[in-house]
Amino acid sequence: MHLTFRQLQVFEAVARHLNYTRAAEELFMTQPAVSGHMRQMEEIAGLPLIEQVGKRLFLTEAGEEVQKAALEMINRAEDLEMRLADLVGMVRGRLGLAVTTTAKYFAPHLLGAFSRRYPEVDVRLEVSNRETVLERLAANRDELAIMGRVPQGMGVTGTAFMPNPLVVVAPPDHPLAGASRIAPERFAEETFLLREPGSGTRLAMEQFFADRGLSLKGGMELGSNETIKQGVMAGLGLSVLSLHTLRLERATGKVAVLDVNGFPLQRHWYAVHLKEKRLSVVADNFLAFLAEEGAGLIEPVVFGEAGSEPKEQR
Ligand code: PGA
């Protein structure tokens, strides 16, 4: 008996979900059919590939090997399909994109426009914080990632396609709201709400303090941009957020953006991929699309425009 491509596909789905029911749903198969494939694979391998401890499934060492190989083969087959489609003049296939949580405020707009241009492309979007996106990149789980800084020493390459200004947010009635050119030392006396460890926004904020030898008075740690905004409105502290996350709150005056010297932190959004990865035709097209019109598809976010903010633009 030999391994079949279908068995590898089934194994890959089970290994990813570590759950037979979810794998069966994804593959439009019945659960017994999935279990049947897994049993056959273990017979071929001659040793267990998956272990059950209590209710949880784990990959064995052999299972991890099979998972790696299955992923490589599936990616290779998808790539082949895309290249064949390209030869007949079509852009067709799958685009797996991982974006940091802050990029979710604009990524769907980019993908919407891309899908209208290339309706034959199937897009999968994964949203997680920077650390998880980096883990996914290293494991070659996605074609491309969108994040706020290109990681160093990881063998990746990144192309900037749009500005990402980070600003200081405060409740509108905060004593510093409306003040100009606030010294970082004054601002550092405040309590700050922090994103979870692993967040790119948090890293940038910590870096600002570290670069100036200031200590950061951390208040609550709140695990998302949305919760941070609610925390700021509730008066629990100040924070640093990407302007992309603040469109609604600025328009409705629910938060104030403070004019602190050194802000906005001028960052960019990058499309990142492993240097050694052979990009699919679809991914190549997406990069070209981002470079040509990515920034133009997103309403620009500009510091100093909303009512309660300093007028001066920097
Ligand atoms: P975050 O990332 O959502 O993890 O804070 C933003 C970024 O990539 O800088």
Side-chain angles (χ1 to χ4, degrees), residues 100-103 128-131 146-149 164 166 195-196 198-204 225 267-269:
T100 52
T101 37
T102 304
S128 29
N129 75 18
R130 174 179 169 86
E131 190 167 279
I146 292 182
M147 58 177 69
R149 208 170 52 191
N164 175 25
L166 301 192
R195 281 278 306 276
E196 75 287 359
S199 145
T201 310
R202 173 169 171 160
L203 272 180
N225 290 316
R267 307 218 313 162
H268 280 86
W269 289 110

Side-chain angles (χ1 to χ4, degrees), residues 13-69:
V14 173
R16 185 160 30 87
H17 291 293
L18 290 173
N19 181 311
Y20 285 94
T21 314
R22 260 186 259 141
E25 276 167 14
E26 179 182 302
L27 297 163
F28 301 107
M29 292 170 72
T30 62
Q31 196 182 322
V34 169
S35 309
H37 275 297
M38 296 297 285
R39 248 194 328 274
Q40 281 175 1
M41 286 195 72
E42 293 196 326
E43 272 169 32
I44 296 169
L47 72 179
L49 301 176
I50 288 220
E51 264 167 8
Q52 182 155 2
V53 180
K55 283 195 170 149
R56 292 184 59 193
L57 297 181
F58 293 88
L59 291 182
T60 61
E61 201 181 328
E64 282 175 10
E65 283 297 314
V66 177
Q67 182 189 33
K68 229 167 87 195

